[in-house]
Amino acid sequence: METFPTHAQPEIRSANGQQEGKTQQPSQDFDAAMMRRCIELARCALGKTAPNPLVGSAIVRDGVVVGEGFHPGAGMPHAEVFALREAGEKALGATVYVNLEPCNHYGRTPPCSEALIAAGVAKVVVGMVDPNPLVSGGGIARLREAGIEVVVGVEEEACRKLNEAFIHRILYRRPFGILKYAMTLDGKIATSSGHSAWVTGEEARSQVHGLRIACDAVIVGGNTVRLDNPQLTSHQEGRHNPLRVVMSRTLDLPKSSRLWETGDASTLVLTQEGTNPEFREFLGSRGVEVVDLSPLTPASAMAYLYDRSFLSVLWECGGILAASAIADGSVQKILAFIAPKIVGGQGSPSPVGDLGFARMTEAIALERVSWHSVGADCLVEGYLKIKD
């Protein structure tokens, strides 16, 4: 088991000033470190838990981690259960850390709150309250009712970011949409001839591969399939690959596309009823799923993927589809990789097509913006304001 350093604790004195001993509770720094460990554990299941959240848990007794676990997927035991199993009898009187409030209802698995009570733990440190109305506050209340000390809100911002897709799905009944694009310093995603390999460097591309691991689906339009022939996988053996989704009204797509190679990753084509029967037959022969949507829009695609229990959807499409996805509320987060290159050209495409804005005051301002270097490139991350 891993041992964490203990920190000096404040002395406890009686009313007459006599020392009564030292508290044995971990310090705030220790709590924060353990919560970050829970987040690290939770990330072991990236892309595999939908529609459930990412959850990790650790159990500490006398400054030593005696049990750890994470939730591996829907229908399987929750993180706390795995941690309790590893801890065994050492869970008695221990402190449990978990990045999301323990559940207090019967779903596919029994409530974690009751498992923690039965194990006799003394304290539970929670990263954030569960936004799910079936849970919200109930697990914490049940633990306190049983006499267990509960601390809430440790590393809360990091915990909320880890499960931002789950939170969005619960609150808005849609998957969380992420628009990712790579552009040059002058705002181009390709040259005037359509050539785009490669806008950014290897480090940025590697980060995108990691992003795909965390997403349940990645969406492109027909133009991206025709021009780029993308693979849209994580490029990491043994790691999760998202469902590859192509939106096409015409099914005028090349038979040579790598997206029809479904051995390592599945592909779904969203189209309109009655379109191109001959190509539908070809797709079926390659193991590609075809679904008709009416109307075929980003919003209808997201509604369909919500019904398939997805949490997060990555949009890696061209400017026209990106503009539609932004306009109808299918995108909540922007990841813009900017390369220190200039290609020029009036006909060179930009990452977002026409949104119908005539004045700069109409521009969409991102919130919670951050940026950092990725190799020679820069990544700008921000969120769109969610419309009520």
Side-chain angles (χ1 to χ4, degrees), residues 73 235 268 365:
H235 294 265
L268 164 70

Side-chain angles (χ1 to χ4, degrees), residues 42 132 161 198 210 232 357 361:
N132 188 341
K161 184 162 186 178
W198 296 101
L232 302 181
F357 297 157
T361 51

Side-chain angles (χ1 to χ4, degrees), residues 36-109:
R36 290 193 294 271
R37 175 58 181 164
C38 291
I39 292 172
E40 182 182 358
L41 289 165
R43 291 178 62 83
C44 292
L46 279 174
K48 299 177 182 179
T49 63
N52 289 359
L54 292 161
V55 184
S57 180
I59 300 177
V60 175
R61 183 169 173 176
D62 298 325
V64 178
V65 176
V66 296
E68 291 185 334
F70 64 89
H71 176 51
M76 301 184 73
H78 291 183
E80 301 95 316
V81 173
F82 284 109
L84 286 170
R85 287 178 183 174
E86 187 173 287
E89 295 180 356
K90 293 179 181 179
L92 181 65
T95 296
V96 177
Y97 295 85
V98 60
N99 59 286
L100 187 68
E101 175 184 3
C103 63
N104 190 46
H105 67 286
Y106 283 88
R108 297 187 188 182
T109 58

Side-chain angles (χ1 to χ4, degrees), residues 107-136:
R108 297 187 188 182
T109 58
C112 292
S113 56
E114 298 301 330
L116 294 170
I117 293 168
V121 305
K123 180 178 178 180
V124 178
V125 179
V126 177
M128 62 169 283
V129 175
D130 195 320
N132 188 341
L134 291 173
V135 179
S136 189

Side-chain angles (χ1 to χ4, degrees), residues 241-287:
N241 284 315
L243 175 67
R244 302 174 300 183
V245 181
V246 179
M247 293 182 64
S248 173
R249 298 184 187 281
T250 63
L251 291 187
D252 179 21
L253 303 169
K255 291 186 176 181
S256 59
S257 171
R258 293 188 290 180
L259 295 179
W260 319 144
E261 299 169 4
T262 56
D264 295 326
S266 300
T267 301
L268 164 70
V269 173
L270 299 178
T271 187
Q272 300 179 126
E273 186 176 357
T275 304
N276 202 336
E278 185 273 333
F279 196 77
R280 286 171 179 264
E281 185 176 349
F282 164 77
L283 291 175
S285 71
R286 300 299 298 271

Side-chain angles (χ1 to χ4, degrees), residues 58-213:
I59 300 177
V60 175
R61 183 169 173 176
D62 298 325
V64 178
V65 176
V66 296
E68 291 185 334
F70 64 89
H71 176 51
M76 301 184 73
H78 291 183
E80 301 95 316
V81 173
F82 284 109
L84 286 170
R85 287 178 183 174
E86 187 173 287
E89 295 180 356
K90 293 179 181 179
L92 181 65
T95 296
V96 177
Y97 295 85
V98 60
N99 59 286
L100 187 68
E101 175 184 3
C103 63
N104 190 46
H105 67 286
Y106 283 88
R108 297 187 188 182
T109 58
C112 292
S113 56
E114 298 301 330
L116 294 170
I117 293 168
V121 305
K123 180 178 178 180
V124 178
V125 179
V126 177
M128 62 169 283
V129 175
D130 195 320
N132 188 341
L134 291 173
V135 179
S136 189
I140 293 169
R142 178 69 185 102
L143 293 172
R144 286 174 172 161
E145 180 184 273
I148 296 173
E149 180 185 357
V150 182
V151 175
V152 183
V154 174
E155 293 288 296
E156 182 174 3
E157 184 177 351
C159 292
R160 293 185 69 85
K161 184 162 186 178
L162 173 72
N163 276 309
E164 61 187 3
F166 173 73
I167 296 169
H168 182 83
R169 176 184 168 83
I170 289 294
L171 295 181
Y172 300 99
R173 301 181 67 82
R174 285 292 183 272
F176 185 73
I178 305 168
L179 174 61
K180 186 281 304 180
Y181 56 81
M183 70 178 189
T184 60
L185 200 58
D186 55 338
K188 309 298 183 182
I189 61 174
T191 65
S192 57
S193 68
H195 187 263
S196 61
W198 296 101
V199 175
T200 53
E202 185 175 344
E203 293 92 339
R205 298 198 298 275
S206 178
Q207 187 158 326
V208 172
H209 297 159
L211 178 61
R212 290 175 188 158
I213 292 173

Side-chain angles (χ1 to χ4, degrees), residues 185-352:
L185 200 58
D186 55 338
K188 309 298 183 182
I189 61 174
T191 65
S192 57
S193 68
H195 187 263
S196 61
W198 296 101
V199 175
T200 53
E202 185 175 344
E203 293 92 339
R205 298 198 298 275
S206 178
Q207 187 158 326
V208 172
H209 297 159
L211 178 61
R212 290 175 188 158
I213 292 173
C215 292
D216 300 307
V218 53
I219 297 182
V220 296
N223 279 337
T224 299
V225 178
R226 287 184 287 268
L227 293 173
D228 295 346
N229 190 19
Q231 193 171 2
L232 302 181
T233 64
S234 67
H235 294 265
Q236 298 182 35
E237 187 175 354
R239 299 301 301 272
H240 167 75
N241 284 315
L243 175 67
R244 302 174 300 183
V245 181
V246 179
M247 293 182 64
S248 173
R249 298 184 187 281
T250 63
L251 291 187
D252 179 21
L253 303 169
K255 291 186 176 181
S256 59
S257 171
R258 293 188 290 180
L259 295 179
W260 319 144
E261 299 169 4
T262 56
D264 295 326
S266 300
T267 301
L268 164 70
V269 173
L270 299 178
T271 187
Q272 300 179 126
E273 186 176 357
T275 304
N276 202 336
E278 185 273 333
F279 196 77
R280 286 171 179 264
E281 185 176 349
F282 164 77
L283 291 175
S285 71
R286 300 299 298 271
V288 175
E289 184 181 4
V290 180
V291 171
D292 296 327
L293 293 181
S294 181
L296 180 61
T297 64
S300 67
M302 293 295 264
Y304 172 76
L305 294 175
Y306 173 83
D307 290 339
R308 288 184 62 152
S309 298
F310 286 13
L311 284 175
S312 56
V313 173
L314 182 61
W315 294 84
E316 291 198 48
C317 52
I320 296 174
L321 185 53
S324 296
I326 290 173
D328 72 6
S330 296
V331 171
Q332 285 70 52
K333 184 176 183 178
I334 304 290
L335 294 176
F337 291 87
I338 304 173
K341 301 176 182 177
I342 296 175
V343 298
Q346 290 185 345
S348 301
S350 62
V352 179

